[in-house]
Amino acid sequence: MDITVEAWRQDRPDAPGRFESYVVTGVTPQMSLLDVLDLLNSQLVAAGDEPVAFDSDCREGICGACGITVNGRPHGPVPNTPTCLQHLAQFPETTHLRVEPFRAHAFPVVRDLAVDRSALDRVIQVGGHVDVMTGQAADADAELIGHDTAERALDFGACIGCGACVAACPNGSAHLFAGAKLLHLSQLSYGKQERGRRARAVAGSLDHDFGPCSSFGECAQVCPADIDLSAVAAVNREAVRAAFRRRPD
């Protein structure tokens, strides 16, 4: 079957962008959205034209690199699913795909569908780590962690850092992403010693690069890891906790 792909083309970050329409032939329902882009690029290269630039890596829903906006929705029509795992068979009525990069002030366009998500990396740099003693590795059971606590930490640690939450938010907020990191690390014993410092640093990074959270909730609807909205509240809660701690940590 044939599908019309309306793709955003932008030669460089400071160049004006535009949509260009293409008809992609030989599409099958088993194809993912990225497969369609691959097929489109094969046709463009065969015709001597420039292929559409986009990011991807694992194509297994793990790395988060593939994120684009499809028909106005980050990642695509299927909720809580990354772009690489969205297949045409899941929305068979769609014959027109309008693909564009994640739209957020914090994600400047590099080229076509590829954006610079370094703002998320800066959040991790200032707070997405734990202090550990160097030397011989500790025994696995040196510090016991309850099952419920471990499961909760893993739930929030599942965030793949794709940035869809930022693109879906009308304010360009990264509170779901940052809150997931804060809750993940604060649950575990190895992440508690710098809990206050982490909260203050992450809050400062959010204020610098992203917009404020207004609790719209669109972020949770597009998150491939299905991060709970309670992560949003964790950002302010952790920051307030750090501000009122008598002993700085």
Side-chain angles (χ1 to χ4, degrees), residues 25-47:
T25 60
V27 176
T28 65
Q30 292 73 32
M31 286 185 171
S32 70
L33 292 173
L34 294 189
D35 290 336
V36 175
L37 291 178
D38 287 338
L39 185 57
L40 167 61
N41 281 343
S42 295
Q43 295 177 5
L44 290 175
V45 171

Side-chain angles (χ1 to χ4, degrees), residues 61-133:
I62 298 173
C63 71
C66 63
I68 58 175
T69 301
V70 182
N71 292 350
R73 184 181 179 90
H75 280 313
V78 184
N80 304 112
T81 306
T83 301
C84 60
L85 297 184
Q86 303 218 18
H87 294 80
L88 299 182
Q90 296 170 292
F91 37 93
E93 71 286 351
T94 300
T95 58
H96 180 277
L97 298 175
R98 183 182 176 95
V99 295
E100 55 189 309
F102 277 172
R103 299 298 190 183
H105 176 75
F107 299 157
V109 175
V110 176
R111 179 170 181 155
D112 296 339
L113 308 181
V115 299
D116 181 357
R117 285 175 284 192
S118 297
L120 295 180
D121 296 334
R122 290 191 286 273
V123 174
I124 298 300
Q125 288 169 357
V126 300
H129 54 81
V130 297
D131 294 336
V132 296
M133 296 181 63

Side-chain angles (χ1 to χ4, degrees), residues 165-166 168-176 211-221 228-237:
C165 55
V166 180
C169 177
N171 295 337
S173 169
H175 274 54
L176 192 75
C213 175
S214 297
S215 302
F216 285 99
E218 284 93 338
C219 52
Q221 297 175 20
D228 190 85
L229 267 178
S230 61
V232 169
V235 176
N236 289 337
R237 186 175 66 250

Side-chain angles (χ1 to χ4, degrees), residues 120 123-124 152-153 155-157 159 165 173-187 198-199 202-203 206 227-238:
L120 295 180
V123 174
I124 298 300
R152 180 172 170 80
D155 286 343
F156 289 107
C159 171
C165 55
S173 169
H175 274 54
L176 192 75
F177 167 80
K181 302 304 178 185
L182 291 174
L183 284 175
H184 169 217
L185 295 175
S186 66
Q187 302 291 312
R198 177 187 303 112
V202 168
L206 291 178
I227 300 296
D228 190 85
L229 267 178
S230 61
V232 169
V235 176
N236 289 337
R237 186 175 66 250
E238 290 292 304

